[in-house]
Amino acid sequence: MKNTILLPYMAPRNVTALAKEKFDAFISDREMTADEIVLLALEKNPQGMIVVPKQKITQDIIAKLPASVKVIATCSVGFDHLDIAAAKARGIQLTNTPDVLTECTADIAMLLLLNACRRGREYQEIMDAGWRKSFSQSEMLGIKVSGKTLGIYGMGRIGQAVADRARGFGMKIIYCNRRRLSPELEKGATYFAKLEEMLPHCQILSLNAPGTAETKHVINDQTLALLPDNAVLVNVARGSLVQEEALIRALQSKKLFAAGLDVFENEPAYDLRLKEFHNVFLTPHMGSATQETRDAMGFRALENIEQALKGVKPQDSLWS
Ligand code: DGY
């Protein structure tokens, strides 16, 4: 008999097809809330489920799940929406989907970086308005990317992929990470153990660290003040890394030349003051949003569920 699993969100077609082949899968046509997932789980008594980052699987939610649930696989690399300790205490395996979204998320970081430096949003607005007046040689100028120093906060898989891309654009790479990388992974980048020591050298700063208690609001009034004037901030990591009030102040004072943001403190209800800055390029948390990557994430989540239900420690177990 097949195991029962829940996919309480709108999964891509290829993922739902594989889920149905391997499991007795209940697939929702919309993103259910965590409370709705509990009700569905109590009705279906599944062995596993896939969730997505907006579904907060807190201690309270975990306590309400039926005893049938053995594994919860998040379709994301980030897992700040899961209470790992509470799940482990109930013997529920938790897994994420690293690796498969590295490239696409790094691509979005470059998309934001280039649009912020080269005034992509303003140029689009000019074209949308019909562009009837040509610009002089000194108007609407952006920042040249080649030759600039890119500081990367969080040099894991995605940070390293951003570095690889930025090297292709002729940028100099410096980074801050909990530990220094091996020379093969560092590829000549300069290591800073402390963010405060790296910031004065960052003409462009890319945030690529996970959202944890340690990284919450690492970008605040004090740290923004350490950046050189006219710096550019890019965030594809988590909104929690940036204290948005401080970011808004840095944009108002023109301390920053521009910003590119894919993630926000409150999603999807992001702070609408951010869209008033024409030098801020915004995307709606779409780092992994390609057909190929979303399929690969779903397949990886299904693999993790299969492994857990066979009694094997899943490849992407979040249990320490
Ligand atoms: C992740 O995988 O953590 C991305 O932010 C997509 O949600």
Side-chain angles (χ1 to χ4, degrees):
M1 217 175 76
K2 285 181 178 175
N3 281 309
T4 301
I5 65 165
L6 308 181
L7 276 71
Y9 68 102
M10 260 172 40
R13 201 155 30 94
N14 293 333
V15 175
T16 60
L18 189 65
K20 283 182 180 158
E21 192 184 306
K22 290 184 175 286
F23 300 97
D24 178 12
F26 176 86
I27 293 156
S28 171
D29 57 1
R30 66 182 175 85
E31 197 169 287
M32 299 174 75
T33 65
D35 287 323
E36 288 172 327
I37 294 173
V38 169
L39 292 179
L40 185 65
L42 290 169
E43 182 194 327
K44 307 270 180 201
N45 286 305
Q47 282 71 50
M49 60 174 79
I50 302 185
V51 297
V52 292
K54 283 182 214 95
Q55 295 167 330
K56 309 261 176 260
I57 307 301
T58 59
Q59 183 175 23
D60 180 49
I61 293 294
I62 287 167
K64 292 178 185 156
L65 290 173
S68 60
V69 177
K70 300 286 175 266
V71 53
I72 302 175
T74 181
C75 221
S76 61
V77 67
F79 47 84
D80 45 321
H81 55 297
L82 307 176
D83 189 325
I84 300 179
K88 192 170 181 188
R90 276 203 66 184
I92 299 176
Q93 263 293 353
L94 290 180
T95 63
N96 66 342
T97 57
D99 303 321
V100 291
L101 46 67
T102 301
E103 273 109 24
C104 284
T105 307
D107 290 346
I108 281 274
M110 293 309 292
L111 180 145
L112 295 177
L113 186 156
L114 291 169
N115 273 289
C117 290
R118 298 301 306 274
R119 305 179 75 149
R121 175 168 171 194
E122 289 162 281
Y123 295 169
Q124 184 67 58
E125 286 168 353
I126 289 163
M127 298 312 284
D128 287 348
W131 184 42
R132 289 294 178 268
K133 168 193 163 296
S134 57
F135 293 104
S136 76
Q137 289 268 306
S138 58
E139 284 177 294
M140 292 304 297
L141 307 184
I143 286 182
K144 181 178 178 183
V145 160
S146 312
K148 290 290 182 302
T149 298
L150 171 66
I152 299 181
Y153 177 67
M155 197 63 150
R157 287 171 285 248
I158 296 171
Q160 290 171 43
V162 172
D164 286 341
R165 283 156 177 70
R167 282 187 193 96
F169 280 85
M171 303 181 80
K172 178 180 171 217
I173 311 297
I174 61 179
Y175 73 101
C176 173
N177 200 41
R178 268 182 305 182
R179 55 180 180 79
R180 186 169 179 172
L181 301 183
S182 65
E184 305 81 74
L185 295 180
E186 201 171 62
K187 300 180 189 168
T190 305
Y191 175 62
F192 287 83
K194 289 199 167 63
L195 177 64
E196 287 75 6
E197 284 168 15
M198 178 176 82
L199 290 174
H201 306 281
C202 298
Q203 290 167 303
I204 302 169
L205 173 65
S206 174
L207 304 179
N208 296 101
T212 62
E214 192 192 333
T215 61
K216 187 172 164 71
H217 289 176
V218 285
I219 300 303
N220 52 47
D221 285 312
Q222 289 73 36
T223 49
L224 283 164
L226 294 173
L227 286 167
D229 288 345
N230 278 323
V232 170
L233 174 73
V234 172
N235 189 8
V236 294
R238 280 292 180 266
S240 61
L241 272 68
V242 178
Q243 192 179 16
E244 269 172 18
E245 286 294 338
L247 171 61
I248 287 168
R249 280 192 284 276
L251 289 163
Q252 279 163 345
S253 70
K254 304 208 184 330
K255 168 76 185 171
L256 293 177
F257 176 79
L261 308 171
D262 185 49
V263 288
F264 305 87
E265 277 199 278
N266 292 311
E267 295 180 12
Y270 83 102
D271 189 327
L272 294 180
R273 286 174 298 168
L274 286 167
K275 76 176 172 61
E276 302 306 325
F277 296 98
H278 298 267
N279 54 345
V280 177
F281 191 87
L282 302 165
T283 48
H285 199 150
M286 287 296 183
S288 62
T290 61
Q291 184 75 63
E292 296 87 340
T293 295
R294 288 286 165 83
D295 279 355
M297 291 164 75
F299 297 158
R300 183 98 169 210
L302 290 169
E303 263 169 44
N304 279 311
I305 291 182
E306 262 189 310
Q307 290 162 1
L309 297 182
K310 275 188 195 141
V312 182
K313 186 172 181 191
Q315 59 189 334
D316 303 316
S317 173
L318 295 170
W319 281 12
S320 47

